[in-house]
Amino acid sequence: MSPPFNVCEPLFYSGLMDDPLLLVRMRPLGRALLLDCGQIQHLAKRVLRSIDAVFISHAHMDHFMGVDTLVRHVLVSPRTIDLYGPPGIAERFANKLGAYEWNLAEDFWCTFRVHEVGEERLRTVEFAGPEGFVGRYAGERAREGRTLYANPYLRVDGVFCDHKIPVLVYRITERAGFAVDETRLATAGLLPGPWIRELKRLFFAGNLNAGGLRVAHRSDGGVVEVWEPEAAALYEKIRATQRPASIGYFSDIGMTPENRRRLKELLHEVTLLIGECTFLAQDEARARAAYHLCSTDVNALLDELRPAWFLPMHLSKSYLGQSERLFRELEPPPGTTILRLPERLTPRPLIPADLPLAARGRG
């Protein structure tokens, strides 16, 4: 079974023990979003060049070190890439870029627009490639609820949790598709016709509030066309009730009452939940000390959040070769399916015996 996404194609480019790396392809756009950015050297350049926005949970090395590789592969693309992260992320990004010389910068290089997320405001700093990636303050704005990023097909919401530092938890929600309820259509005395195609066109163009259209009404004398002045109100009258598909993502959080409350508010009944399970049940004390989760914690969260699918990730490498123990300990509630990852997906490091003789200086 596959999660029922219309717009999103979630691709987890990591194994169970690798640095977390979630890429979400947006099918209608042919573009992608990236959640966290640890080791990414195994991603193809064309994959990295498809990324429009990056969402960093926090700046620990295994979630942020891959930004250097990302810059390396996209800097000659003449476009703007958005990056979201906790307070201080712009300064850390500037420190990364400041470690390199940019004296050969070209006018067509890309720009990074870095957004520092606060509880109530977003502060933006731009790093323009043609200017050698010097950071320039670009303003700030009030947050509109939890939403950080949106396009015509989806939105990304975020809230803070605690890992002894602020950590962002994300939810990607697809825009509801166009759907007409035939019962509501009949109750309103309306008949199907070409006007529904026009209504659908206005819906996907985001123009439902732009005006009205002629609609086929049932009458005693047959069918009459009536001008409906508000397309938005018309669609609200006949639309089918639906729950848009969604993806939840959390990593590196402590099992605290406040974290649980925030997770439930943001991630309740998401379609696909991707979350850390760093320790097994026997190591609950280690989880508490490190502000991570163990399998017992994850079971409690699954019972509260009730996702349709759950993908565990970020298992400690101290359990190498023992990952089956994790899947035996996970006890999802009815209606939740556990997805499995292999322990490792990223290539192993090269050793001397892997190199051809010429590269070893013996040819």
Side-chain angles (χ1 to χ4, degrees):
M1 295 192 305
S2 298
F5 294 106
N6 296 316
V7 172
C8 296
E9 183 181 354
L11 302 164
F12 199 73
Y13 272 88
S14 309
L16 186 63
M17 295 182 176
D18 298 321
D19 294 352
L21 197 61
L22 172 63
L23 188 100
V24 179
R25 290 187 65 245
M26 300 175 285
R27 293 192 188 102
L29 301 174
R31 308 298 300 166
L33 307 176
L34 182 68
L35 279 74
D36 271 340
C37 194
Q39 296 188 63
I40 63 170
Q41 73 280 357
H42 57 298
L43 270 66
K45 182 183 291 188
R46 65 182 177 183
V47 173
L48 295 174
R49 287 190 171 183
S50 74
I51 294 170
D52 279 347
V54 182
F55 299 86
I56 303 296
S57 61
H58 61 298
H60 281 167
M61 198 172 189
D62 52 340
H63 297 261
F64 194 51
M65 64 182 290
V67 165
D68 299 67
T69 302
L70 176 65
V71 174
R72 172 70 182 89
H73 288 299
V74 304
L75 65 89
V76 296
S77 301
R79 59 193 183 87
T80 298
I81 300 170
D82 289 292
L83 186 146
Y84 296 81
I89 200 72
E91 181 180 0
R92 290 181 171 86
F93 190 77
N95 289 339
K96 280 182 167 291
L97 296 181
Y100 303 103
E101 294 284 0
W102 302 107
N103 61 300
L104 301 179
E106 300 281 359
D107 290 342
F108 56 82
W109 280 15
C110 75
T111 293
F112 283 90
R113 191 163 49 207
V114 178
H115 308 276
E116 292 193 338
V117 180
E119 290 283 3
E120 298 180 352
R121 302 188 68 81
L122 267 74
R123 176 179 179 272
T124 300
V125 180
E126 289 189 352
F127 298 83
E131 299 176 3
F133 294 115
V134 174
R136 299 190 184 280
Y137 174 72
E140 60 182 87
R141 63 177 173 85
R143 290 184 61 180
E144 299 176 2
R146 300 189 183 102
T147 299
L148 303 175
Y149 171 94
N151 64 36
Y153 299 98
L154 55 78
R155 75 174 190 272
V156 181
D157 296 337
V159 300
F160 283 105
C161 283
D162 185 16
H163 181 51
K164 298 186 178 181
I165 57 172
V167 170
L168 279 165
V169 173
Y170 296 106
R171 176 180 180 138
I172 301 173
T173 305
E174 292 187 346
R175 180 183 179 183
F178 181 87
V180 172
D181 186 315
E182 293 185 2
T183 301
R184 298 182 73 183
L185 188 73
T187 301
L190 301 174
L191 294 173
W195 66 271
I196 292 184
R197 287 197 300 273
E198 175 61 13
L199 188 64
K200 183 177 182 179
R201 185 191 69 78
L202 292 172
F203 173 87
F204 283 109
N207 290 331
L208 282 178
N209 292 313
L213 69 165
R214 291 197 172 278
V215 176
H217 275 260
R218 183 184 293 108
S219 72
D220 294 338
V223 179
V224 296
E225 283 195 346
V226 176
W227 177 256
E228 291 280 353
E230 297 182 3
L234 173 64
Y235 180 60
E236 189 63 27
K237 189 189 303 183
I238 64 173
R239 69 177 178 86
T241 302
Q242 53 184 319
R243 174 179 290 176
S246 55
I247 302 168
Y249 177 92
F250 67 86
S251 184
D252 294 36
I253 63 173
M255 191 62 169
T256 67
E258 180 62 13
N259 281 352
R260 293 176 72 166
R261 182 186 69 79
R262 293 190 170 213
L263 287 179
K264 189 167 184 178
E265 286 183 354
L266 183 70
L267 303 180
H268 186 242
E269 294 187 345
V270 292
T271 308
L272 170 63
L273 181 62
I274 300 173
E276 72 146 287
C277 188
T278 304
F279 294 102
L280 298 179
Q282 69 184 39
D283 293 319
E284 181 177 325
R286 291 176 62 193
R288 295 291 177 272
Y291 261 53
H292 278 287
L293 302 179
C294 68
S295 57
T296 305
D297 301 328
V298 171
N299 285 335
L301 289 176
L302 292 179
D303 193 54
E304 292 178 354
L305 302 180
R306 301 285 172 143
W309 281 267
F310 175 64
L311 180 70
M313 64 168 188
H314 218 10
L315 182 66
S316 169
K317 293 181 179 64
S318 63
Y319 304 116
L320 189 63
Q322 307 175 59
S323 58
E324 271 303 312
R325 293 175 59 193
L326 169 64
F327 295 108
R328 287 198 298 269
E329 291 184 7
L330 291 179
E331 300 174 352
T336 297
T337 299
I338 300 292
L339 303 177
R340 294 186 174 219
L341 288 169
E343 287 188 349
R344 300 299 296 269
L345 277 183
T346 56
R348 68 169 176 80
L350 292 173
I351 59 176
D354 295 327
L355 301 177
L357 289 177
R360 284 185 268 161
R362 294 175 55 194

